[in-house]
Amino acid sequence: MAERVEVLLSEEEVNARIRQIGEQISRDYEGKELHLVCILKGASFFTCELAKRITVPVSLDFMSVSSYGASSESSGVVKIVKDLDEPLEGKHVLVVEDIVDTGRTLDYLLSLMRSRGAEDVKLCALLDKPDRRVVDVKADYTGFQIPDEFVVGYGLDYAQRYRNLPYIGVVKFD
Ligand code: IMP
Ligand code: MG
């Protein structure tokens, strides 16, 4: 079975949108310091590009999680594989995620961050698949709303591959 990737959002479109979000975040957090929490591995490319476009002082931390159960459908039971290095007390936290799908992972993560004494916790997601939502999670900043298709690239993987694509694509089998 041949596998190919069809472009859904080009490199130019993605980069232009990230630049816009960076400008918006810079305006919204004017006069404050921002603590970006990147959810590994998927959000790594997005976090780097976004952080470069933010003009207020930024600190960065990383968390790696895996959800129990079938890999294509998250269960909402989240295992922390690598926890944050820095405390969140008093910080303006912006969680950066690759995609909001069912919302289960983020629902768990956002409550966890809020329980750790952050001043405020917001969410920035590159992609949003609203048709798939099971738990009510809304991103404060969203790159693109996309249809219910399995996408790869810009950090997103299919069996750990394709993360390095500079665009967002859909895997096709033919
Ligand atoms: P949720 O808990 O269902 O919202 O799961 C979100 C996680 O599932 C994301 O962080 C991704 O790792 C993964 N995921 C969901 N949809 C896709 C997709 O289309 N491509 C690649 N990974 C996806
Ligand atoms: Mg992920």
Side-chain angles (χ1 to χ4, degrees):
M1 202 164 48
E3 200 180 293
R4 68 196 161 81
V5 179
E6 247 173 36
V7 178
L8 179 69
L9 297 162
S10 71
E11 182 172 4
E12 291 71 25
E13 283 176 276
V14 176
N15 289 340
R17 183 71 185 117
I18 294 176
R19 188 178 290 265
Q20 279 180 350
I21 298 174
E23 287 167 1
Q24 196 190 333
I25 289 172
S26 303
R27 284 193 298 273
D28 294 352
Y29 287 87
E30 184 82 63
K32 295 176 182 161
E33 290 192 21
L34 182 57
H35 191 61
L36 294 181
V37 170
C38 168
I39 308 303
L40 297 171
K41 304 170 190 169
S44 54
F45 290 70
F46 177 39
T47 303
C48 294
E49 289 304 309
L50 182 66
K52 289 194 280 181
R53 305 297 164 212
I54 296 175
T55 53
V56 300
V58 161
S59 51
L60 271 178
D61 207 348
F62 300 86
M63 184 181 263
S64 181
V65 299
S66 72
S67 78
Y68 291 107
S71 57
S72 60
E73 180 81 359
S74 77
S75 59
V77 184
V78 176
K79 178 181 162 198
I80 297 174
V81 178
K82 183 226 169 284
D83 206 340
L84 298 171
D85 292 332
E86 312 289 336
L88 297 182
E89 272 97 48
K91 289 180 181 157
H92 300 289
V93 173
L94 184 61
V95 177
V96 185
E97 187 42 315
D98 49 5
I99 189 165
V100 190
D101 187 35
T102 64
R104 286 184 174 121
T105 307
L106 281 163
D107 184 53
Y108 174 85
L109 284 180
L110 292 171
S111 358
L112 177 71
M113 309 262 170
R114 291 196 172 107
S115 74
R116 291 188 181 180
E119 178 76 25
D120 48 71
V121 179
K122 291 191 173 178
L123 171 64
C124 177
L126 179 59
L127 303 173
D128 181 14
K129 282 196 234 177
D131 296 347
R132 294 263 305 161
R133 201 74 88 255
V134 173
V135 181
D136 182 31
V137 171
K138 281 183 195 69
D140 299 277
Y141 305 94
T142 304
F144 303 90
Q145 291 206 336
I146 59 165
D148 181 11
E149 290 199 83
F150 196 83
V151 291
V152 295
Y154 228 99
L156 290 141
D157 73 302
Y158 171 63
Q160 296 302 326
R161 289 185 295 127
Y162 301 121
R163 291 190 197 275
N164 60 315
L165 295 179
Y167 53 87
I168 301 289
V170 178
V171 187
K172 300 279 180 189
F173 303 92
D174 43 25

